[in-house]
Amino acid sequence: MLSRFYLHCSLLAFILYGLVFQVHELQSALLNVTGPPGPIIVAMGEDVVLPCHFSLKQGTRDVEVVWFREHFSHFVHRYKGGQDQYGEQMLQYQGRTELLKNGLAKGSVDLKIFHVRLSDKGNYTCFIQQGLDYDEAVVELKVTASGSAPLITLEHYQDGGIRVACRSAGWYPQPQVRWQDPHGQHLPALSEVVTRDQSGLFAVESSIIFTRGVNQKLSCSVRHALHSREQGSAFYISDPFFQNAHPWMTALGVVLVAVVALLIVAVYLFKIKGKHEKNIALQEAVLRDRDAEIEKQAEELAWRRYAVPIEKANVVLDPDTAHCDLVLSDDCKSVKREDTLQDIPDIPERFNPWRCVLGREGFASGRYYWEIEVVDGAGWTVGVSRKDVKRKGDIEFKPEEGIWAVGKWAGNFQALTYPNRTPLPEIQTPKRIRISLDYEEGRVAFFSVDEEIPIFTFPLTSFEGIEVHPWVWLGPGTWLKMWP
């Protein structure tokens, strides 16, 4: 009996220990922020709600919510200390945002934007911090605009038929134009012109040659690229309208005969001085070829001068500076963002909360270059950073804070200049980037190894004798590799 009593007591203690352990595990669960599985699509001028949800750990006490686009400190909307904060809200969102607090108790921090504009399209980051825990999710907003009903006009006779034009304006994104016959069959367009007004909306004009038929019916439809909504117009043309097409062609034939006769006379008149002009043309062609070759050699010399400095640096990443969501390879030559907090100490050298890491070796003199390959990922920035760059809290990625970088941010390839970033739309986002550093001259330059062309060079600066290190920031799911 006594042994059975001790057995029951031990079993009860084990169960109580298990319950306490599970409660502790639940309380220490990490904060998890999630957004919608796909983009949010809204028509221009309407209101939209951007969803964002977080796992409740300690209720809603001390929850800080920041919705931002590119700059953490210049935000779209901020909620902190139980109140909305508008001190550094972006100008274009002032008076147009509302955090829907009625869902806060259920872990919902949806953001409502009123009267959506075309400039509102893009990626939004929902950043939530509660105590020492934090996480973020990205929400993509796509803005559309439905344009006017197509206007169909008869322009003139052409090629034995009638040239018909279809025009429509006020669309976003660029719409698709489709011509159809009475049986619903697609008709190829003769030409199509797309323009864009100052507000960013598209206008399209498509033309077609309509040939003879009986009670012909023609339709033109303009369709959204994102959904099936469309605007359409149709009209009829009967055979009598085509009777004037062939006399016009006859007149055109007479004119062409006259033109041919004039050309014969012109050839005879210019034949005498043709040899002289031919010699001049040959000389000009030789000069143009020589100038082009000189320009090509100058461009190649510029590429070699700035893209191939004296010494190639062997960049090894410093794990003591890497954010706890970043996983380095064994040789510290590549880094992935896993968004799974590692059990490593938050020492002063480590970046937090931004997912950054520095190169282990710094430079205080000389000229160097190194290359970085983007293996995978939609968001990243690469460049150099001063050794004394800020590691904790809000960080502005700009030269004034000690960071010179380019990268793909919020879907756009750009240089991280200040006060405004410099878009690089003419450069195809490279998979491999070469970073060039001339410490004494204060030059930081970037080149596309894929196309062997310069990308961007920052204005000359002074590093003030402070060491400069390779620096990268990784967006969700990004994998970067130092090359080789």
Side-chain angles (χ1 to χ4, degrees), residues 374-395:
V374 182
V375 182
D376 192 14
W380 48 268
T381 57
V382 299
V384 301
S385 163
R386 296 202 324 182
K387 183 177 182 179
D388 60 352
V389 70
K390 186 179 179 182
R391 310 289 176 92
K392 308 295 182 183
D394 295 349
I395 306 174

Side-chain angles (χ1 to χ4, degrees), residues 249-305:
M249 292 294 293
T250 303
L252 177 61
V254 175
V255 173
L256 288 177
V257 171
V259 170
V260 170
L262 290 175
L263 286 175
I264 294 174
V265 175
V267 169
Y268 176 78
L269 293 176
F270 283 101
K271 187 175 181 180
I272 298 176
K273 62 177 181 178
K275 293 182 180 181
H276 178 66
E277 292 181 348
K278 184 177 180 181
N279 291 333
I280 295 177
L282 288 174
Q283 293 176 1
E284 291 177 349
V286 170
L287 292 176
R288 285 196 300 270
D289 292 342
R290 187 181 66 181
D291 292 342
E293 183 65 24
I294 294 174
E295 183 178 355
K296 182 178 180 181
Q297 292 177 358
E299 291 178 352
E300 184 175 354
L301 290 174
W303 161 260
R304 294 183 178 276
R305 178 173 181 267

Side-chain angles (χ1 to χ4, degrees), residues 91-109:
L91 181 61
Q92 71 182 86
Y93 294 99
Q94 291 181 5
R96 296 177 53 233
T97 63
E98 178 187 359
L99 190 71
L100 303 183
K101 304 179 188 63
N102 54 351
L104 188 60
K106 298 180 181 180
S108 175
V109 287

Side-chain angles (χ1 to χ4, degrees), residues 374 380 407-408 411-413 424 427-433 448 450-451:
V374 182
W380 48 268
K408 191 174 182 181
N412 299 314
F413 187 52
L424 303 170
I427 303 294
Q428 183 177 359
T429 304
K431 286 293 185 182
R432 199 157 129 203
I433 298 177
S448 170
D450 308 338
E451 302 184 50

